[in-house]
Amino acid sequence: MHAEIIAVGTEILLGQIVNTNSAFLADKLADLGVNVFYQTVVGDNESRMLETIEIASKRNDLVILSGGLGPTEDDLTKQMVAKFLNEKLVENKDAMLKIENHFAQTGRKMTENNKLQALYIEGSVPIKNHAGMAVGDFYKGAACDFLLLPGPPNELKTMFNKEVEELLKQTYNLNSHLESKVLRFFGIGESKLVTELEDIINAQTNPTIAPYAKTNEVTLRITASATEGKSAEKLIGEMETNVLNRVGNYFYGYGDDNSLQNVVVTELIKNNLSISAAESLTAGLFQSTLAEVAGVSKVYPGGFVTYANAVKSDVLGIPTETIKKHGVVSESIAKQMAIQTQDKMKTDIAISFTGVAGPDELEGQKAGTVWIGLAFKDNPVVAKQFHFAGNRETIRQRSVLSGLKWIFDEINE
Amino acid sequence: MHAEIIAVGTEILLGQIVNTNSAFLADKLADLGVNVFYQTVVGDNESRMLETIEIASKRNDLVILSGGLGPTEDDLTKQMVAKFLNEKLVENKDAMLKIENHFAQTGRKMTENNKLQALYIEGSVPIKNHAGMAVGDFYKGAACDFLLLPGPPNELKTMFNKEVEELLKQTYNLNSHLESKVLRFFGIGESKLVTELEDIINAQTNPTIAPYAKTNEVTLRITASATEGKSAEKLIGEMETNVLNRVGNYFYGYGDDNSLQNVVVTELIKNNLSISAAESLTAGLFQSTLAEVAGVSKVYPGGFVTYANAVKSDVLGIPTETIKKHGVVSESIAKQMAIQTQDKMKTDIAISFTGVAGPDELEGQKAGTVWIGLAFKDNPVVAKQFHFAGNRETIRQRSVLSGLKWIFDEINE
């Protein structure tokens, strides 16, 4: 089963928008076991669209087009596919009703053009658009099938997830019984992860494992199909144990839609541990990252941003002499910041960040030099030094994530 | 002058990575006046690469391939283009020296495969890779030229900006004298901006204007070519005046690599105005956003994150009764938070954020209800209510940006 993805739109050709639709569709099709050997982008131009459709129809079982279903003169996808197939466009009653209602409700006048969005190719299956007005289209052809999807990413994704995935599974009998599980790692780069798992990766057949570098972290997707006598879940479980035996120190959680902050806040709530922070170079980024997680107010009352030395003295009560003596980017100041914050905020945990975000040096220390202090319950306060590479933003982000990972490790000690 | 962009790589075909290289190249080529009618993605497969190269060479003057120049078995781009052209691969001495030095310095053993990265097509111009080891390639063919660029985005961008842009300009005489200027707006959506400027957009010829929706803001690119008697700069200036007469209230700055925080911090430093903040729902995001700008320490000493009511009382000294009486998401509390912070931090400006980030209601107020307080120098403290749509993250981001825009407006009053 071979499919080609054609994104239609001059904005993509001009580089005004990045083609995320093709990546989304390719990922979904890979999961369904459909081979995608080509992706193409073509502008809103009749002859070039027809040429692209013709080339694609010759080398594929299914051609998927995204974009060009809208109401403007530039939207030609439906018309060109119909022309190629020598079919007519007909009206979908549900879609037309939706368009008419929309204009009635908003009090705007419906122009003739808007009716275009309710048309579909005669003989095909119209596909409901839950997030917009242009109807989708699935046409079973003699040699090649066509799937037409809207261009706005939210409309495309919603239509795919709610309607198309099931339609493709049924039409092409794609029930592959593939299962997959995503493991998330922080503190190890993709190349090191691959090196650590090299023999496992080289020997993979079922399950397969695939590492992906994300911003500041790496994920590993384990995918398996059931074999005689073993379920996919069991195969994945065995592979997971293998992997975690090697790189378990860097592992923190599961799933595509997860994050270190999500896991840490969940554990804090589960363990009824409150937390606060005093931030210098990160300037609120740690606390702001915690607060991305709904429900954090159960364990997080607030904290300090002590950017200037005077504020470290005035607000946290760290004597000016101490800062002068040790330097502000030091083990001693990181510890004091954490202790004072734990005391003032009366929380179980307090974490502190002091360091050089760059680009300039500070007190003779290079950009990327960071001390993180951690007062964890009644344990003696500890500070660790880190050296991060990268620009100002990367240094601050990695500081925050390293702090989160340290807390995660302490909780799971 | 027609060019096609071919991205080579199975990761893109499988949707594991988004094809940002093609968008970057398309944008650059549009600026240079080169027409891109097709973009293609093909995997690391010999016959499909040859087919793709052949189709592209027939319909273009220039075929640009990105990716597949690396040292692994999957990297086939150079070999396939050479095969198509019936040319040999030869060694580039500078690139080979760089590779040998790299392995000598890191103490790792160089494998035979790594030498592949120093090869280029005989008769072509090798292109220096400033950010990596694989050499690029520009081949002038009889019917069609070929440009080969590395796949890692930072290598591709650096090579294009430092080497390729000038090479293309000279080879194809692309000095189009196009000038462009980007205006940045906050607080207005793309569709409203387009409506406000509809007649200008419909009448555009030279200069052209193109709006782009970005996360939480909109930019407008004005592009002009010189005409007899008028420079491109003058044409752009006239258009800018026209545009700002309509939507100047939402304008804050210029340029593709700019941001509201950058403009605000620059103005604070220029006007020697210090700033601090007390944040509830934003939980440090405002301060962390300010601190993205290097040099902010000149005007920003630090501030508070007062997430829980108890911290608003204990740290900022707002009486518990006041909070109970007015509710925490209120004009009164926003004002108090700003005044107390201005007083405690001794800054010229203090800003406060209190509101409902969601997803749940708070004190009977809907998610998205936000009060921002501003104590600006000796002016009476003011608080404004906002209603933001979207999820938790969007509500917090728009709160921060609305605060920044308010400060921008006050400074430029």
Side-chain angles (χ1 to χ4, degrees):
Chain A
M1 168 87 196
H2 292 180
E4 177 159 347
I5 301 167
I6 301 175
V8 180
T10 303
E11 299 100 324
I12 302 175
L13 274 189
L14 290 175
Q16 294 170 355
I17 54 174
V18 175
N19 183 7
T20 53
N21 282 346
S22 293
F24 169 81
L25 291 170
D27 184 43
K28 287 285 183 179
L29 292 167
D31 275 357
L32 289 170
V34 176
N35 290 316
V36 174
F37 288 155
Y38 303 92
Q39 295 172 8
T40 314
V41 180
V42 65
D44 309 300
N45 172 282
E46 297 205 4
S47 64
R48 289 192 286 274
M49 281 176 71
L50 284 172
E51 187 197 320
T52 304
I53 291 167
E54 188 176 352
I55 293 174
S57 69
K58 283 186 184 153
R59 61 189 183 191
N60 292 281
D61 308 305
L62 171 65
V63 174
I64 303 176
L65 295 105
S66 70
L69 305 189
T72 78
E73 282 176 17
D74 286 344
D75 293 305
L76 298 167
T77 303
K78 251 180 275 197
Q79 293 89 321
M80 290 307 108
V81 175
K83 188 172 180 182
F84 176 77
L85 293 168
N86 209 14
E87 295 278 10
K88 281 192 300 185
L89 292 176
V90 292
E91 184 185 309
N92 177 246
K93 292 236 157 30
D94 289 346
M96 187 61 82
L97 201 63
K98 188 173 176 184
I99 295 170
E100 285 166 356
N101 282 343
H102 171 80
F103 281 93
Q105 276 171 18
T106 56
R108 285 164 52 212
K109 190 165 169 272
M110 188 175 88
T111 59
E112 204 53 25
N113 261 353
N114 278 291
K115 293 185 182 169
L116 272 177
Q117 299 185 89
L119 300 185
Y120 70 106
I121 298 169
E122 190 161 30
S124 73
V125 181
I127 308 173
K128 187 174 179 185
N129 188 335
H130 296 261
M133 286 192 281
V135 66
D137 215 319
F138 181 56
Y139 183 91
K140 291 281 301 168
C144 173
D145 305 333
F146 287 86
L147 175 64
L148 279 61
L149 301 172
N154 67 321
E155 294 184 28
L156 176 124
K157 285 181 188 173
T158 309
M159 189 179 284
F160 194 94
N161 290 335
K162 292 203 174 180
E163 304 286 340
V164 174
E165 188 161 9
E166 199 50 42
L167 185 66
L168 295 180
K169 276 186 179 171
Q170 286 180 9
T171 307
Y172 303 112
N173 200 16
L174 294 175
N175 285 310
S176 61
H177 299 296
L178 276 185
E179 297 275 341
S180 71
K181 191 172 193 179
V182 172
L183 313 186
R184 305 183 74 92
F185 300 88
F186 173 76
I188 185 169
E190 188 189 16
S191 62
K192 187 164 178 218
L193 186 87
V194 168
T195 307
E196 296 281 341
L197 302 176
E198 195 164 12
D199 55 317
I200 301 181
I201 291 173
N202 288 339
Q204 64 175 319
T205 50
N206 180 33
T208 58
I209 62 174
Y212 302 103
K214 309 263 172 175
T215 308
N216 293 319
E217 58 178 306
V218 187
T219 65
L220 192 73
R221 182 187 290 268
I222 307 177
T223 307
S225 59
T227 57
E228 281 169 37
K230 271 195 185 177
S231 68
E233 287 81 359
K234 194 164 158 57
L235 288 164
I236 289 173
E238 290 167 4
M239 177 61 87
E240 181 184 342
T241 306
N242 260 344
V243 166
L244 293 185
N245 279 340
R246 304 271 182 94
V247 289
N249 281 345
Y250 306 99
F251 169 78
Y252 75 82
Y254 298 101
D256 260 330
D257 289 325
N258 201 351
S259 65
L260 196 43
Q261 53 269 35
N262 194 38
V263 168
V264 167
V265 169
T266 305
E267 300 244 337
L268 289 171
I269 293 172
K270 201 178 79 188
N271 292 281
N272 200 21
L273 290 168
S274 60
I275 187 166
S276 61
E279 304 185 55
S280 186
L281 85 153
T282 49
L285 189 61
F286 176 84
Q287 298 171 76
S288 158
T289 302
L290 277 189
E292 287 174 12
V293 187
V296 70
S297 60
K298 293 192 188 80
V299 290
Y300 166 66
F304 306 102
V305 185
T306 56
Y307 212 62
N309 289 352
V311 174
K312 293 182 184 77
S313 303
D314 296 350
V315 173
L316 293 183
I318 304 173
T320 317
E321 299 73 44
T322 314
I323 300 178
K324 270 198 190 133
K325 186 177 158 198
H326 297 280
V328 68
V329 181
S330 64
E331 180 176 11
S332 175
I333 299 303
K335 283 182 175 176
Q336 293 261 343
M337 285 170 69
I339 294 173
Q340 295 295 336
T341 302
Q342 190 184 35
D343 181 55
K344 288 190 194 304
M345 287 285 166
K346 302 175 193 72
T347 50
D348 300 308
I349 303 170
I351 190 164
S352 69
F353 299 85
T354 176
V356 193
D360 299 329
E361 293 192 350
L362 181 67
E363 296 178 349
Q365 303 210 59
K366 274 189 194 163
T369 309
V370 175
W371 280 93
I372 302 181
L374 185 64
F376 193 87
K377 294 197 279 192
D378 299 331
N379 300 354
V381 63
V382 184
K384 284 189 199 171
Q385 191 178 32
F386 296 81
H387 295 281
F388 299 116
N391 61 19
R392 188 174 170 85
E393 210 35 31
T394 306
I395 290 166
R396 296 172 67 232
Q397 283 168 359
R398 294 194 72 90
S399 301
V400 165
L401 293 169
S402 299
L404 285 169
K405 183 62 165 55
W406 189 2
I407 293 166
F408 174 84
D409 291 339
E410 283 295 325
I411 296 174
N412 293 286
E413 186 77 331
Chain B
M1 168 89 196
H2 292 181
E4 178 159 345
I5 300 168
I6 302 175
V8 180
T10 303
E11 299 100 324
I12 301 176
L13 273 190
L14 290 174
Q16 294 169 358
I17 54 175
V18 175
N19 183 7
T20 54
N21 282 346
S22 293
F24 169 81
L25 291 171
D27 184 43
K28 287 286 183 179
L29 292 168
D31 275 356
L32 289 170
V34 177
N35 290 316
V36 174
F37 288 155
Y38 303 92
Q39 295 173 8
T40 315
V41 180
V42 64
D44 310 299
N45 172 281
E46 298 205 3
S47 64
R48 289 191 286 273
M49 282 176 70
L50 284 172
E51 187 199 320
T52 304
I53 291 167
E54 189 176 350
I55 293 174
S57 69
K58 283 184 185 156
R59 61 188 182 190
N60 291 280
D61 309 303
L62 171 66
V63 175
I64 303 176
L65 296 106
S66 70
L69 306 188
T72 78
E73 282 176 18
D74 286 343
D75 294 306
L76 298 168
T77 303
K78 251 180 273 199
Q79 294 88 322
M80 289 308 108
V81 176
K83 189 172 179 181
F84 177 78
L85 294 168
N86 208 11
E87 296 277 9
K88 281 192 301 185
L89 291 177
V90 292
E91 184 184 309
N92 176 245
K93 293 235 157 34
D94 289 346
M96 187 60 83
L97 201 64
K98 187 174 176 184
I99 295 170
E100 285 167 356
N101 282 344
H102 171 80
F103 280 94
Q105 276 169 17
T106 56
R108 285 164 51 211
K109 192 167 168 270
M110 186 173 91
T111 59
E112 204 53 27
N113 261 352
N114 278 292
K115 293 185 182 170
L116 272 177
Q117 299 185 89
L119 300 185
Y120 71 106
I121 298 169
E122 190 161 30
S124 72
V125 181
I127 308 174
K128 188 173 178 184
N129 187 336
H130 296 262
M133 286 192 282
V135 67
D137 215 319
F138 181 55
Y139 183 91
K140 291 280 302 166
C144 172
D145 305 333
F146 287 86
L147 174 64
L148 279 61
L149 301 173
N154 67 322
E155 295 184 27
L156 175 125
K157 286 181 188 173
T158 310
M159 189 180 283
F160 194 95
N161 291 334
K162 291 203 176 182
E163 305 286 340
V164 173
E165 188 161 8
E166 200 49 41
L167 185 67
L168 295 180
K169 276 186 179 173
Q170 286 180 9
T171 308
Y172 302 111
N173 199 19
L174 293 175
N175 285 311
S176 61
H177 299 297
L178 275 186
E179 297 274 341
S180 72
K181 190 172 193 179
V182 172
L183 314 186
R184 305 184 73 92
F185 300 87
F186 173 75
I188 184 169
E190 188 190 15
S191 62
K192 187 165 177 217
L193 186 86
V194 168
T195 307
E196 296 281 342
L197 303 176
E198 197 165 13
D199 55 316
I200 301 181
I201 291 173
N202 288 340
Q204 64 175 318
T205 50
N206 180 35
T208 57
I209 62 174
Y212 302 104
K214 311 262 171 175
T215 309
N216 292 319
E217 59 177 304
V218 187
T219 65
L220 191 73
R221 182 186 291 268
I222 307 177
T223 307
S225 60
T227 56
E228 281 170 38
K230 272 195 185 176
S231 68
E233 286 82 359
K234 193 164 161 52
L235 288 165
I236 290 174
E238 289 167 4
M239 177 62 88
E240 182 185 341
T241 306
N242 260 344
V243 167
L244 293 185
N245 279 340
R246 304 271 184 94
V247 290
N249 282 346
Y250 306 99
F251 169 78
Y252 74 83
Y254 298 100
D256 260 331
D257 289 326
N258 202 352
S259 65
L260 196 43
Q261 54 267 37
N262 194 40
V263 168
V264 168
V265 169
T266 305
E267 299 245 335
L268 290 171
I269 292 173
K270 201 177 79 187
N271 292 282
N272 200 23
L273 290 169
S274 60
I275 187 166
S276 61
E279 304 185 55
S280 186
L281 85 154
T282 51
L285 189 61
F286 177 84
Q287 298 171 76
S288 159
T289 302
L290 277 187
E292 287 174 11
V293 187
V296 70
S297 59
K298 292 190 189 83
V299 290
Y300 167 66
F304 306 102
V305 186
T306 56
Y307 212 62
N309 289 352
V311 174
K312 292 182 184 79
S313 303
D314 297 350
V315 174
L316 293 183
I318 304 173
T320 316
E321 298 74 43
T322 313
I323 300 177
K324 267 197 193 137
K325 186 178 158 199
H326 297 280
V328 69
V329 181
S330 64
E331 180 176 11
S332 175
I333 300 303
K335 282 182 175 177
Q336 293 261 341
M337 285 170 70
I339 294 174
Q340 295 295 335
T341 301
Q342 191 184 33
D343 181 56
K344 288 191 192 306
M345 287 288 166
K346 302 175 192 73
T347 49
D348 300 308
I349 304 170
I351 190 164
S352 69
F353 299 85
T354 176
V356 193
D360 299 329
E361 292 191 349
L362 182 66
E363 297 178 348
Q365 305 212 58
K366 275 189 193 163
T369 309
V370 176
W371 280 94
I372 303 181
L374 185 64
F376 192 88
K377 296 198 278 194
D378 299 330
N379 300 355
V381 64
V382 183
K384 285 188 199 169
Q385 192 179 32
F386 296 81
H387 295 282
F388 300 116
N391 62 18
R392 191 174 167 85
E393 210 37 31
T394 306
I395 290 166
R396 297 172 67 233
Q397 284 168 0
R398 294 192 72 89
S399 300
V400 165
L401 292 170
S402 299
L404 286 169
K405 183 62 166 52
W406 189 2
I407 293 166
F408 174 84
D409 291 339
E410 284 293 327
I411 296 175
N412 293 287
E413 186 75 333

